[in-house]
Amino acid sequence: MNERILVADDDSNITDVCRRYLEREGYTIVTATDGMEAIELWRSHKPGLIVLDLMMPRKNGWEVCNEIRQTEDVPIVMLTARGEEQDRLMGLTMGADDYLTKPFSPRELVLRVKAILRRMRTAQATSAITPMHTISYEGLTIDFVKREVEIGGQVIDLTVTEFDMLYLLASHPGQVFSRNQMLSKIWDFSYEGDTTTVTVHIRRLREKIEQNASDPKYIKTVWGIGYKFAGGYS
Protein backbone atom coordinates (compact mmCIF):
# COMPACT_ATOMS: atom_id res chain seq x y z
CA MET A 1 0.00 0.00 0.00
CA ASN A 2 1.23 3.49 -0.88
CA GLU A 3 1.85 5.37 2.36
CA ARG A 4 3.33 8.47 0.77
CA ILE A 5 1.52 11.51 2.16
CA LEU A 6 1.11 14.89 0.50
CA VAL A 7 0.88 17.83 2.93
CA ALA A 8 -0.36 21.03 1.28
CA ASP A 9 -0.30 24.27 3.28
CA ASP A 10 1.14 27.73 2.57
CA ASP A 11 2.42 27.98 6.15
CA SER A 12 5.92 26.49 6.20
CA ASN A 13 5.78 26.02 9.98
CA ILE A 14 2.76 23.73 9.59
CA THR A 15 4.26 21.70 6.74
CA ASP A 16 7.54 21.32 8.67
CA VAL A 17 5.78 20.11 11.82
CA CYS A 18 3.54 17.73 9.86
CA ARG A 19 6.55 16.35 7.99
CA ARG A 20 8.53 15.81 11.18
CA TYR A 21 5.77 13.99 13.06
CA LEU A 22 4.61 11.87 10.12
CA GLU A 23 8.14 10.88 9.10
CA ARG A 24 8.68 9.61 12.64
CA GLU A 25 5.89 7.12 11.92
CA GLY A 26 7.65 5.93 8.77
CA TYR A 27 5.63 7.80 6.16
CA THR A 28 7.22 9.42 3.12
CA ILE A 29 6.18 13.09 2.95
CA VAL A 30 5.98 15.50 0.04
CA THR A 31 4.86 19.09 0.60
CA ALA A 32 3.15 21.80 -1.42
CA THR A 33 2.81 25.50 -0.62
CA ASP A 34 -0.14 26.31 -2.89
CA GLY A 35 -3.04 24.61 -4.62
CA MET A 36 -1.50 24.38 -8.07
CA GLU A 37 1.59 22.71 -6.67
CA ALA A 38 -0.63 20.35 -4.67
CA ILE A 39 -2.38 19.25 -7.88
CA GLU A 40 0.95 18.75 -9.66
CA LEU A 41 2.39 16.67 -6.79
CA TRP A 42 -0.80 14.62 -6.52
CA ARG A 43 -0.55 13.75 -10.21
CA SER A 44 3.17 12.95 -10.14
CA HIS A 45 3.48 11.20 -6.77
CA LYS A 46 0.05 9.55 -6.38
CA PRO A 47 0.07 9.78 -2.56
CA GLY A 48 -1.92 7.39 -0.42
CA LEU A 49 -3.35 10.27 1.62
CA ILE A 50 -3.49 14.08 1.38
CA VAL A 51 -3.45 16.63 4.21
CA LEU A 52 -4.97 19.73 2.61
CA ASP A 53 -5.27 23.29 3.90
CA LEU A 54 -8.38 25.16 2.76
CA MET A 55 -6.88 28.64 2.42
CA MET A 56 -4.03 28.49 -0.10
CA PRO A 57 -2.95 30.74 -2.99
CA ARG A 58 -3.52 29.97 -6.69
CA LYS A 59 -6.04 27.20 -5.89
CA ASN A 60 -7.79 26.88 -2.54
CA GLY A 61 -8.42 23.59 -0.78
CA TRP A 62 -11.99 23.28 -2.03
CA GLU A 63 -10.85 23.61 -5.64
CA VAL A 64 -8.05 21.08 -5.13
CA CYS A 65 -10.38 18.62 -3.43
CA ASN A 66 -12.99 18.98 -6.15
CA GLU A 67 -10.45 18.37 -8.92
CA ILE A 68 -9.04 15.29 -7.20
CA ARG A 69 -12.50 13.88 -6.54
CA GLN A 70 -13.28 13.97 -10.27
CA THR A 71 -11.00 10.97 -10.80
CA GLU A 72 -9.78 9.55 -7.50
CA ASP A 73 -10.99 8.64 -4.01
CA VAL A 74 -7.64 9.10 -2.21
CA PRO A 75 -8.32 9.96 1.46
CA ILE A 76 -8.20 13.69 2.23
CA VAL A 77 -7.81 15.30 5.66
CA MET A 78 -8.68 19.00 5.51
CA LEU A 79 -7.21 21.71 7.71
CA THR A 80 -9.64 24.49 8.62
CA ALA A 81 -9.59 27.63 10.75
CA ARG A 82 -10.93 27.28 14.28
CA GLY A 83 -14.61 28.09 14.55
CA GLU A 84 -15.22 28.11 10.79
CA GLU A 85 -17.96 25.48 10.82
CA GLN A 86 -19.11 26.36 7.32
CA ASP A 87 -15.61 25.61 6.00
CA ARG A 88 -15.66 22.19 7.63
CA LEU A 89 -19.11 21.41 6.29
CA MET A 90 -18.16 22.47 2.78
CA GLY A 91 -14.96 20.44 2.91
CA LEU A 92 -16.81 17.31 4.02
CA THR A 93 -19.56 17.89 1.46
CA MET A 94 -16.98 18.10 -1.32
CA GLY A 95 -15.50 14.75 -0.33
CA ALA A 96 -12.97 15.20 2.46
CA ASP A 97 -12.74 12.15 4.71
CA ASP A 98 -11.77 14.02 7.85
CA TYR A 99 -10.79 17.46 9.14
CA LEU A 100 -8.71 19.17 11.79
CA THR A 101 -9.16 22.72 13.04
CA LYS A 102 -6.16 25.02 13.47
CA PRO A 103 -4.27 25.20 15.71
CA PHE A 104 -4.15 21.41 15.97
CA SER A 105 -2.00 18.90 17.79
CA PRO A 106 0.48 17.14 15.48
CA ARG A 107 -0.11 14.01 17.51
CA GLU A 108 -3.82 14.19 16.72
CA LEU A 109 -3.00 14.53 13.03
CA VAL A 110 -0.88 11.39 13.27
CA LEU A 111 -3.78 9.55 14.93
CA ARG A 112 -6.22 10.63 12.21
CA VAL A 113 -3.82 9.64 9.42
CA LYS A 114 -3.03 6.28 10.99
CA ALA A 115 -6.72 5.53 11.53
CA ILE A 116 -7.61 6.17 7.88
CA LEU A 117 -4.66 4.23 6.48
CA ARG A 118 -5.30 1.37 8.92
CA ARG A 119 -8.85 1.07 7.57
CA MET A 120 -7.53 0.92 4.04
CA ARG A 121 -4.90 -1.70 4.90
CA THR A 122 -7.48 -3.80 6.72
CA ALA A 123 -9.85 -3.66 3.77
CA GLN A 124 -7.11 -4.64 1.32
CA ALA A 125 -5.83 -7.48 3.51
CA THR A 126 -9.31 -8.81 4.18
CA SER A 127 -10.31 -8.73 0.52
CA ALA A 128 -7.17 -10.67 -0.36
CA ILE A 129 -7.92 -13.61 1.94
CA THR A 130 -11.71 -13.83 2.24
CA PRO A 131 -14.23 -15.27 -0.23
CA MET A 132 -16.35 -12.92 -2.32
CA HIS A 133 -18.76 -11.06 -0.08
CA THR A 134 -21.48 -9.16 -1.90
CA ILE A 135 -24.56 -7.51 -0.43
CA SER A 136 -27.55 -6.93 -2.73
CA TYR A 137 -30.75 -5.13 -1.81
CA GLU A 138 -33.36 -3.68 -4.15
CA GLY A 139 -31.04 -2.64 -6.97
CA LEU A 140 -28.09 -1.78 -4.69
CA THR A 141 -25.03 -4.04 -4.82
CA ILE A 142 -22.04 -3.67 -2.49
CA ASP A 143 -18.95 -5.68 -3.40
CA PHE A 144 -16.68 -5.80 -0.36
CA VAL A 145 -13.74 -7.36 -2.18
CA LYS A 146 -13.69 -4.85 -5.03
CA ARG A 147 -14.94 -2.09 -2.74
CA GLU A 148 -17.44 -1.17 -5.41
CA VAL A 149 -21.05 -0.07 -5.19
CA GLU A 150 -23.55 -0.39 -8.03
CA ILE A 151 -27.06 0.98 -8.44
CA GLY A 152 -28.97 -0.76 -11.19
CA GLY A 153 -25.71 -2.02 -12.67
CA GLN A 154 -24.06 1.42 -12.69
CA VAL A 155 -20.91 1.86 -10.58
CA ILE A 156 -21.19 4.68 -8.04
CA ASP A 157 -18.00 6.51 -7.04
CA LEU A 158 -17.64 6.59 -3.26
CA THR A 159 -14.79 7.83 -1.09
CA VAL A 160 -13.08 5.45 1.33
CA THR A 161 -15.12 6.79 4.23
CA GLU A 162 -18.42 6.73 2.33
CA PHE A 163 -17.90 3.10 1.37
CA ASP A 164 -16.99 2.14 4.94
CA MET A 165 -20.10 3.85 6.31
CA LEU A 166 -22.38 2.19 3.78
CA TYR A 167 -20.82 -1.23 4.34
CA LEU A 168 -21.10 -0.90 8.12
CA LEU A 169 -24.82 -0.14 7.89
CA ALA A 170 -25.64 -2.62 5.10
CA SER A 171 -23.81 -5.50 6.77
CA HIS A 172 -26.04 -5.03 9.84
CA PRO A 173 -29.49 -4.52 8.26
CA GLY A 174 -32.06 -3.11 10.64
CA GLN A 175 -29.49 -2.38 13.37
CA VAL A 176 -29.46 1.22 14.53
CA PHE A 177 -26.07 2.90 14.89
CA SER A 178 -25.77 6.15 16.79
CA ARG A 179 -23.54 8.86 15.35
CA ASN A 180 -21.05 8.32 18.16
CA GLN A 181 -20.98 4.58 17.42
CA MET A 182 -20.27 5.32 13.78
CA LEU A 183 -17.48 7.71 14.73
CA SER A 184 -15.94 5.01 16.89
CA LYS A 185 -16.26 2.23 14.30
CA ILE A 186 -15.32 4.19 11.18
CA TRP A 187 -12.83 6.73 12.52
CA ASP A 188 -11.54 4.52 15.37
CA PHE A 189 -11.69 7.22 18.05
CA SER A 190 -13.93 9.83 19.67
CA TYR A 191 -14.53 13.26 18.17
CA GLU A 192 -15.33 14.66 21.62
CA GLY A 193 -19.02 14.82 20.87
CA ASP A 194 -18.76 16.43 17.41
CA THR A 195 -20.92 14.24 15.20
CA THR A 196 -21.24 16.75 12.36
CA THR A 197 -18.89 14.73 10.18
CA VAL A 198 -21.22 11.69 10.33
CA THR A 199 -24.27 13.76 9.42
CA VAL A 200 -22.51 15.35 6.44
CA HIS A 201 -21.13 12.03 5.17
CA ILE A 202 -24.56 10.41 5.41
CA ARG A 203 -26.07 13.29 3.46
CA ARG A 204 -23.40 13.02 0.77
CA LEU A 205 -23.79 9.23 0.62
CA ARG A 206 -27.55 9.52 0.20
CA GLU A 207 -27.10 11.99 -2.63
CA LYS A 208 -25.05 9.36 -4.44
CA ILE A 209 -27.07 6.19 -3.85
CA GLU A 210 -30.64 7.29 -3.22
CA GLN A 211 -33.08 8.18 -5.98
CA ASN A 212 -34.60 10.72 -3.60
CA ALA A 213 -32.21 11.77 -0.82
CA SER A 214 -35.09 13.44 1.04
CA ASP A 215 -37.02 10.16 1.13
CA PRO A 216 -34.26 7.53 1.31
CA LYS A 217 -34.89 3.87 0.55
CA TYR A 218 -31.63 2.43 1.84
CA ILE A 219 -30.29 4.55 4.70
CA LYS A 220 -33.00 5.42 7.18
CA THR A 221 -32.81 8.03 9.94
CA VAL A 222 -33.90 6.92 13.40
CA TRP A 223 -34.72 10.28 14.90
CA GLY A 224 -32.87 11.12 18.09
CA ILE A 225 -30.61 8.07 17.74
CA GLY A 226 -28.84 7.63 14.42
CA TYR A 227 -29.11 5.58 11.23
CA LYS A 228 -29.89 2.10 9.97
CA PHE A 229 -29.93 0.19 6.69
CA ALA A 230 -33.46 -0.68 5.64
CA GLY A 231 -34.66 -4.27 5.70
CA GLY A 232 -32.86 -7.46 4.85
CA TYR A 233 -31.00 -8.36 1.69
CA SER A 234 -30.32 -11.28 -0.61
Side-chain angles (χ1 to χ4, degrees):
M1 177 182 171
N2 180 8
E3 295 196 351
R4 181 182 292 112
I5 296 173
L6 167 60
V7 178
D9 196 302
D10 60 344
D11 186 332
S12 61
N13 291 325
I14 290 178
T15 55
D16 288 346
V17 169
C18 290
R19 176 195 291 276
R20 187 164 63 252
Y21 274 79
L22 290 168
E23 284 183 340
R24 286 178 187 173
E25 301 298 322
Y27 301 115
T28 300
I29 309 302
V30 292
T31 61
T33 57
D34 62 60
M36 289 294 292
E37 187 181 13
I39 291 293
E40 293 168 1
L41 290 175
W42 160 64
R43 288 173 175 160
S44 61
H45 287 77
K46 292 299 179 184
L49 183 142
I50 299 173
V51 178
L52 183 64
D53 183 36
L54 283 181
M55 303 307 294
M56 292 187 296
R58 297 213 286 171
K59 275 183 180 288
N60 62 40
W62 294 297
E63 293 172 312
V64 173
C65 182
N66 184 57
E67 186 164 341
I68 291 172
R69 281 290 175 259
Q70 300 303 313
T71 59
E72 194 174 326
D73 63 357
V74 57
I76 296 174
V77 178
M78 279 198 165
L79 305 179
T80 69
R82 179 175 296 278
E84 296 298 330
E85 182 179 9
Q86 189 58 39
D87 287 351
R88 297 197 298 272
L89 293 177
M90 186 177 295
L92 292 171
T93 299
M94 295 187 72
D97 294 272
D98 203 351
Y99 68 85
L100 281 170
T101 56
K102 296 180 179 181
F104 59 88
S105 162
R107 293 184 178 86
E108 184 176 5
L109 172 65
V110 170
L111 287 176
R112 302 283 180 103
V113 167
K114 292 175 73 172
I116 292 174
L117 293 178
R118 182 167 57 247
R119 282 178 11 230
M120 295 182 67
R121 283 195 302 270
T122 300
Q124 291 174 354
T126 302
S127 65
I129 62 175
T130 57
M132 179 70 73
H133 184 19
T134 301
I135 295 172
S136 297
Y137 177 73
E138 295 192 6
L140 172 68
T141 301
I142 306 168
D143 189 324
F144 177 68
V145 175
K146 294 181 180 179
R147 289 181 70 84
E148 285 186 353
V149 173
E150 294 184 2
I151 300 288
Q154 179 180 355
V155 176
I156 307 298
D157 292 328
L158 299 183
T159 66
V160 173
T161 301
E162 290 164 355
F163 181 90
D164 288 342
M165 293 182 75
L166 177 59
Y167 188 80
L168 171 66
L169 293 169
S171 60
H172 299 83
Q175 179 177 336
V176 180
F177 288 89
S178 71
R179 293 171 180 81
N180 282 323
Q181 285 176 317
M182 295 185 74
L183 284 172
S184 175
K185 290 180 179 294
I186 301 298
W187 282 266
D188 293 345
F189 50 85
S190 171
Y191 265 59
E192 299 180 353
D194 182 1
T195 59
T196 301
T197 187
V198 173
T199 304
V200 175
H201 274 93
I202 288 290
R203 185 174 67 202
R204 182 173 168 84
L205 182 56
R206 280 173 169 163
E207 289 172 351
K208 291 184 176 184
I209 69 171
E210 302 281 1
Q211 186 173 4
N212 182 357
S214 299
D215 185 21
K217 176 169 68 174
Y218 304 117
I219 300 177
K220 301 289 188 179
T221 299
V222 181
W223 297 106
I225 303 177
Y227 306 97
K228 69 176 182 179
F229 189 83
Y233 49 76
S234 58

